[in-house]
Amino acid sequence: MFEPVPLNLPACPFKIKQEGDVNFIFDDIRKKFLVLTPEEWVRQHFVQFIIQEKKYPKTLIKLEGGLKLHSLQKRTDIVVFNSQGEKILMIECKAPSVAINQKVFDQIARYNIVHKIPLLAVSNGLQHYYCTIDFETKSYKFIESLPDYK
């Protein structure tokens, strides 16, 4: 059973329940309890961070959306849309024990071949990296913090 650990994100009063030896956390976006894994712990914290601190509307957030990549079915952790329905932010979450390395950046870059989203974030709950993508120049730039929702 996963025991929640403190993260480098604001603390939140999550609804957590235990059934047998399994913990579940309530997902406020999908409106259901999910098995509390280390990655889910990070995902739920990051969702609350972008809603509470960065003012992204929760109605514009999609969790674990599917995508096809070279005929393989994959899942994005968090995708955020603007009010016109355009994808504006994709976030890849990892468990706190997973190092944020080139492999993680390669994963989100592969997903972005399909999505073409201008703002990307990667987090293991302890470290967070943000970058903007310029599709015209085929370049990216790391930025210090995640911009507030506009």
Side-chain angles (χ1 to χ4, degrees), residues 14-16 24-34 44:
F14 292 111
K15 291 183 213 152
I16 296 177
F24 293 84
I25 187 167
F26 188 76
D27 181 330
D28 200 31
I29 302 291
R30 293 175 275 189
K31 301 292 185 213
K32 63 181 181 179
F33 279 93
L34 303 168
Q44 293 302 320

Side-chain angles (χ1 to χ4, degrees), residues 45-57 61 78-80 89 91 146 149:
H45 272 82
F46 214 95
V47 165
Q48 291 307 312
F49 165 67
I50 64 175
I51 292 169
Q52 305 297 328
E53 306 273 322
K54 297 297 180 177
K55 306 304 180 203
Y56 286 78
I61 298 170
I78 305 168
V79 173
V80 182
L89 167 62
I91 304 159
L146 191 64
Y149 182 78

Side-chain angles (χ1 to χ4, degrees), residues 26-140:
F26 188 76
D27 181 330
D28 200 31
I29 302 291
R30 293 175 275 189
K31 301 292 185 213
K32 63 181 181 179
F33 279 93
L34 303 168
V35 173
L36 180 54
T37 63
E39 185 177 312
E40 193 62 48
W41 183 239
V42 173
R43 184 173 22 253
Q44 293 302 320
H45 272 82
F46 214 95
V47 165
Q48 291 307 312
F49 165 67
I50 64 175
I51 292 169
Q52 305 297 328
E53 306 273 322
K54 297 297 180 177
K55 306 304 180 203
Y56 286 78
K58 100 173 161 182
T59 55
L60 300 178
I61 298 170
K62 182 173 184 179
L63 302 183
E64 296 213 307
L67 75 130
K68 270 234 186 300
L69 182 64
H70 308 303
S71 77
L72 297 173
Q73 193 61 39
K74 302 288 185 181
R75 288 196 173 283
T76 53
D77 284 320
I78 305 168
V79 173
V80 182
F81 298 82
N82 64 17
S83 55
Q84 288 77 48
E86 301 161 327
K87 299 169 190 166
I88 58 169
L89 167 62
M90 180 168 44
I91 304 159
E92 178 62 27
C93 298
K94 295 296 182 193
S97 61
V98 175
I100 302 297
N101 57 23
Q102 189 62 49
K103 188 175 164 188
V104 176
F105 288 112
D106 291 347
Q107 179 185 3
I108 198 169
R110 280 192 307 276
Y111 291 176
N112 211 29
I113 291 168
V114 174
H115 286 300
K116 301 196 176 356
I117 300 173
L119 182 59
L120 304 178
V122 174
S123 176
N124 64 5
L126 304 172
Q127 295 178 295
H128 324 291
Y129 295 94
Y130 312 105
C131 69
T132 57
I133 308 296
D134 184 327
F135 294 101
E136 294 208 0
T137 63
K138 294 183 170 75
S139 63
Y140 62 92

